[in-house]
Amino acid sequence: MSARLTLMAAPISVIAGGAIVALVAAQTPQTDTGFVTLPATRLTYQLPGEFTKNGKPIANPSTTVSVNAFAIMADLVSVGDFKRCIAERACPGNRDIGTRDDRPAVNVSWRDASAYAAWLSAKTGYRYRLPTDEEWTRAAGERGSGDLPQIEAGDEAARRLARYEQEFGREVDPVTRPLGSFGRNVHGLNDIGGNVWEWTDSCYARHTANGTSSVVTNCGVRVVAGQHRAYVTDFIRDAKSGGCSGGKPPANLGFRLVRDTRWQDRLKLLLALRT
Amino acid sequence: MNRHLKIAAGLALAVGMMAQAAPAQELKLPREKIDLVAPPFVHAFDQIAKRGPAIKEFKLTIEEKKMVIDDKGTTFQAMTYNGSMPGPLMVVHQGDYVELTLVNPDTNMLPHNIDFHAATGALGGGELTLINPGEEVVLRFKADRAGVFVYHCAPGGPMIPWHVVSGMSGAIMVLPRDGLKDGNGKSLRYDKVFYIGEHDLYVPRDENGKYKDYESAGDAYNDTVEVMRKLTPTHVVFNGKVGALTGKDALTAKVGETVMIIHSQANRDSRPHLIGGHGDHVWETGKFANRPETNLETWFIRGGSAGAALYTFKQPGLYAYVNHNLIEAVELGATAHIKVEGKWNDDLMSQIKAPQPIGQQKAAEAKPRPQMAH
């Protein structure tokens, strides 16, 4: 850690974005996997959560949002990576993440993933965090998908039966494979939409519209992204037999992290380390 | 025990029994051969007997096989009747004779037999049916009591519990000749029968907590007994596998249909509950001479018995049929799903107000109304 501090100390006096960016480039992240940097963009995407109108469920509306630039891991966090966090006692011991180091860490809760992100940040001096649902969708590119289609027609029972068919429609083989096995997407990220669903920081929300509009947010349940969206309670590691607030259960729960690249964040971190 | 000793023991047993018994009676009764159907479904039968008593011929072929028992790929050294956990349901009428051909092909490694709880004498038939791989035997017993009854393998000593928790059990239904009746003597009819056999399984784990895989039942025996003796199953399954009766294998019915659900547990207590429904008429102890209980929420299947419940669906949608120790239902696998089609009945249940923020309705009501006269 001290070697890194001296490296950082030198350019502190040069408060120019360029020098800070160069500093970022010189440092290698804790993990061996690469990062993909995505420029800022406007993204049209389906809002997460549940939407009801006059007491009846409706399809999630789409909207256009601005997404800032960010860097995201090209690979899911691996078993090997997560074991290091456990070894340093910064992540809870978890025998179910997998045994092969080159596979994605699975049976990981949002709390586990957040602990990992905090550990990696402290260790490297970067700010690592889970992506928001917008950032994940942006990074997922052609492999992004929203919620399973909302069934609006029919009575409660017909809708429930139709949802049941959806949930059991596509069986996914849950056995994890080496990182990269599900291929690269258009932005160069591996395994998007494979058999590992990824935690985001976005909270579950129910939007009701019946005369007035209102939103009730529950951050005890987070949006999980993958082949389709799911909403999973934050301490759940294995969503297969429930623990889901809604949506077809994910075959596996894992994650990848975003690394903030804004020079303001870099500077804040450097100044914090200095004092 | 070496193979020769096993065969000698079996032979001695058979000879001993035959020397005491009278020659098998020649029954002057019609014969009917019945082809068994894999659970949860049942072979065709008459609810009310159309003819007099007959000899009903069945065949069970024993198969030792490695099966996958959950969606994590956990393997299990199973012992089965006809390749399924549970074995198939047989249906006859009171007064019929059950003539069972039991076959133990030489692809198996262990001796097996069958004990019918519906039968009388010789340990339920167990003493007369012990066969080695490569042998077959025919047993006939009179179905003189009406009810649903367990059958299971019981080869002797510690083999008995081991074979049973390896999946080797099933059930037989002996119907009253004039069919099922409620407590007032009124006939009860049903459109469908589901047979749900529940098994408690005890799968050993390695030092990392992973379930172990074995090449044969014999290899698994010692580790398995250690787990069994703690009396805590690792899996509690319907139809042999976690999720066996869910998804594309979910059961189906229609509003207005009456289903009979027969539930057997050859070893351990269970308490079935139909989530969203009830038991209209339930023979909890499974014996039809007793009047059924009515309008039950949950009923009790004693370990070592079978019970039967009738329910007429009133509401469409998704139902879950569970062992209502909910840990066993959700964590250990004792859940089945039933998809029911039909029209929703608002009178029975309505969502008066959909989920919304607390107090929102009041706020809306508090808005001043226009055109108020002063």
Side-chain angles (χ1 to χ4, degrees):
Chain A
M1 201 49 147
S2 55
R4 200 172 281 119
L5 274 170
T6 49
L7 200 63
M8 283 188 220
I12 282 292
S13 54
V14 186
I15 315 291
I20 303 293
V21 166
L23 177 66
V24 165
Q27 304 267 1
T28 50
Q30 178 68 22
T31 62
D32 291 328
T33 55
F35 278 74
V36 167
T37 302
L38 295 163
T41 191
R42 299 226 357 115
L43 177 76
T44 300
Y45 94 126
Q46 197 187 30
L47 286 167
E50 277 185 75
F51 291 80
T52 61
K53 191 175 170 144
N54 299 323
K56 296 240 177 285
I58 58 169
N60 295 37
S62 278
T63 189
T64 307
V65 293
S66 290
V67 185
N68 288 327
F70 62 95
I72 187 166
M73 290 178 178
D75 277 304
L76 292 158
V77 169
S78 70
V79 172
D81 293 336
F82 203 87
K83 274 198 215 166
R84 257 174 269 164
C85 183
I86 295 175
E88 295 189 19
R89 300 183 187 286
C91 286
N94 183 347
R95 280 200 308 197
D96 300 323
I97 59 170
T99 46
R100 313 269 260 274
D101 284 359
D102 66 341
R103 306 282 168 101
V106 290
N107 291 314
V108 170
S109 69
W110 176 88
R111 296 189 190 189
D112 294 335
S114 302
Y116 182 89
W119 167 76
L120 195 60
S121 303
K123 207 146 171 65
T124 60
Y126 286 79
R127 190 190 163 212
Y128 289 97
R129 58 174 175 78
L130 286 166
T132 63
D133 184 63
E134 294 100 325
E135 287 167 340
W136 191 92
T137 307
R138 156 83 173 115
E142 81 284 9
R143 293 194 186 191
S145 63
D147 301 74
L148 290 171
Q150 177 59 256
I151 299 128
E152 297 181 14
D155 59 29
E156 289 84 346
R159 285 201 298 271
R160 182 67 187 89
L161 290 177
R163 262 201 332 273
Y164 188 83
E165 295 310 312
Q166 266 183 355
E167 283 164 18
F168 285 93
R170 276 175 312 169
E171 293 299 325
V172 174
D173 177 8
V175 175
T176 57
R177 301 189 213 165
L179 293 173
S181 296
F182 288 92
R184 228 163 246 274
N185 76 350
V186 74
H187 296 304
L189 273 75
N190 283 322
D191 305 318
I192 296 280
N195 66 0
V196 177
W197 271 249
E198 305 180 30
W199 288 103
T200 72
D201 256 347
S202 300
C203 300
Y204 165 84
R206 194 206 300 273
H207 306 249
T208 48
N210 48 7
T212 55
S213 281
S214 54
V215 187
V216 174
T217 305
N218 180 357
C219 287
V221 177
R222 301 278 168 162
V223 178
V224 170
Q227 286 184 23
H228 60 77
R229 263 204 206 107
Y231 306 96
V232 183
T233 304
D234 65 6
F235 54 76
I236 294 293
R237 289 176 169 172
D238 176 1
K240 275 198 285 290
S241 53
C244 260
S245 287
K248 176 176 174 173
N252 289 297
L253 288 169
F255 68 107
R256 72 182 78 216
L257 296 177
V258 156
R259 187 183 65 204
D260 277 330
T261 56
R262 295 187 312 154
W263 68 267
Q264 296 95 323
D265 294 319
R266 290 283 68 65
L267 183 56
K268 278 192 209 150
L269 261 172
L270 292 172
L271 292 172
L273 282 162
R274 208 59 219 306
T275 55
Chain B
M1 181 153 71
N2 82 37
R3 199 183 161 74
H4 297 296
L5 201 59
K6 274 191 270 181
I7 293 172
L11 207 59
L13 201 60
V15 167
M17 290 307 299
M18 274 162 61
Q20 293 162 30
Q25 251 181 313
E26 265 300 325
L27 294 172
K28 291 184 174 49
L29 289 175
R31 286 178 165 272
E32 188 188 332
K33 180 166 169 294
I34 296 171
D35 289 318
L36 291 164
V37 167
F41 307 112
V42 184
H43 66 81
F45 63 91
D46 297 321
Q47 297 189 26
I48 295 172
K50 293 203 171 91
R51 290 172 284 272
I55 300 172
K56 303 289 176 91
E57 299 171 9
F58 297 94
K59 182 168 170 183
L60 287 178
T61 304
I62 297 162
E63 188 184 349
E64 294 161 19
K65 63 198 279 197
K66 190 194 268 203
M67 299 178 82
V68 174
I69 55 164
D70 62 23
D71 58 2
K72 293 177 170 65
T74 305
T75 62
F76 182 72
Q77 286 292 340
M79 303 175 200
T80 70
Y81 292 106
N82 279 15
S84 63
M85 279 205 270
L89 182 78
M90 300 176 209
V91 185
V92 300
H93 287 92
Q94 190 172 8
D96 286 338
Y97 289 79
V98 174
E99 191 175 280
L100 172 75
T101 302
L102 185 68
V103 183
N104 189 358
D106 62 9
T107 43
N108 292 327
M109 298 214 283
L110 304 166
H112 297 281
N113 67 354
I114 191 162
D115 166 4
F116 281 98
H117 286 193
T120 304
L123 299 180
E127 292 202 315
L128 298 175
T129 55
L130 188 67
I131 46 177
N132 296 286
E135 297 183 326
E136 63 178 40
V137 66
V138 182
L139 175 80
R140 189 192 77 206
F141 70 89
K142 186 171 185 182
D144 62 350
R145 285 168 209 267
V148 283
F149 298 84
V150 156
Y151 65 75
H152 65 86
C153 188
M159 295 296 105
I160 301 174
W162 181 44
H163 283 225
V164 171
V165 304
S166 296
M168 212 160 169
S169 76
I172 178 168
M173 175 158 71
V174 181
L175 286 167
R177 296 207 79 82
D178 52 358
L180 292 181
K181 302 206 163 126
D182 70 9
N184 299 316
K186 179 165 157 280
S187 241
L188 291 169
R189 292 196 64 85
Y190 36 98
D191 301 295
K192 281 183 148 160
V193 181
F194 296 129
Y195 167 44
I196 293 182
E198 179 181 321
H199 281 95
D200 41 320
L201 307 177
Y202 302 82
V203 185
R205 276 186 250 242
D206 64 20
E207 59 280 358
N208 295 316
K210 275 200 63 154
Y211 290 118
K212 288 170 85 163
D213 172 84
Y214 298 91
E215 278 320 300
S216 74
D219 289 338
Y221 175 65
N222 287 300
D223 290 348
T224 303
V225 169
E226 232 181 274
V227 183
M228 284 162 59
R229 287 180 68 91
K230 293 188 169 72
L231 296 175
T232 304
T234 57
H235 299 72
V236 179
V237 295
F238 292 164
N239 222 43
K241 183 181 172 165
V242 176
L245 301 175
T246 66
K248 59 172 169 49
D249 296 314
L251 305 172
T252 61
K254 295 187 170 71
V255 170
E257 271 188 336
T258 302
V259 306
M260 176 193 282
I261 304 178
I262 298 170
H263 193 124
S264 73
Q265 231 294 10
N267 195 56
R268 189 168 175 273
D269 300 341
S270 183
R271 69 280 317 139
H273 172 90
L274 181 64
I275 306 181
H278 299 84
D280 291 337
H281 296 94
V282 183
W283 292 266
E284 189 180 76
T285 50
K287 309 306 170 274
F288 299 132
N290 303 307
R291 60 202 310 148
E293 295 258 357
T294 56
N295 298 316
L296 296 189
E297 115 198 52
T298 297
W299 42 103
F300 190 64
I301 305 294
R302 296 138 184 71
S305 79
L310 291 179
Y311 180 61
T312 305
F313 283 97
K314 294 175 144 175
Q315 206 64 307
L318 184 69
Y319 292 75
Y321 177 84
V322 300
N323 165 345
H324 210 287
N325 175 319
L326 296 168
I327 303 163
E328 295 173 21
V330 176
E331 294 283 345
L332 303 190
T335 299
H337 292 156
I338 310 180
K339 301 186 294 188
V340 179
E341 311 236 307
K343 200 169 173 313
W344 182 261
N345 181 335
D346 259 325
D347 183 50
L348 283 177
M349 183 183 288
S350 292
Q351 184 185 62
I352 301 300
K353 198 163 91 169
Q356 56 191 251
I358 299 164
Q360 181 184 59
Q361 192 59 30
K362 290 195 187 128
E365 282 161 3
K367 274 192 341 210
R369 286 179 301 195
Q371 310 143 355
M372 231 158 106
H374 286 280

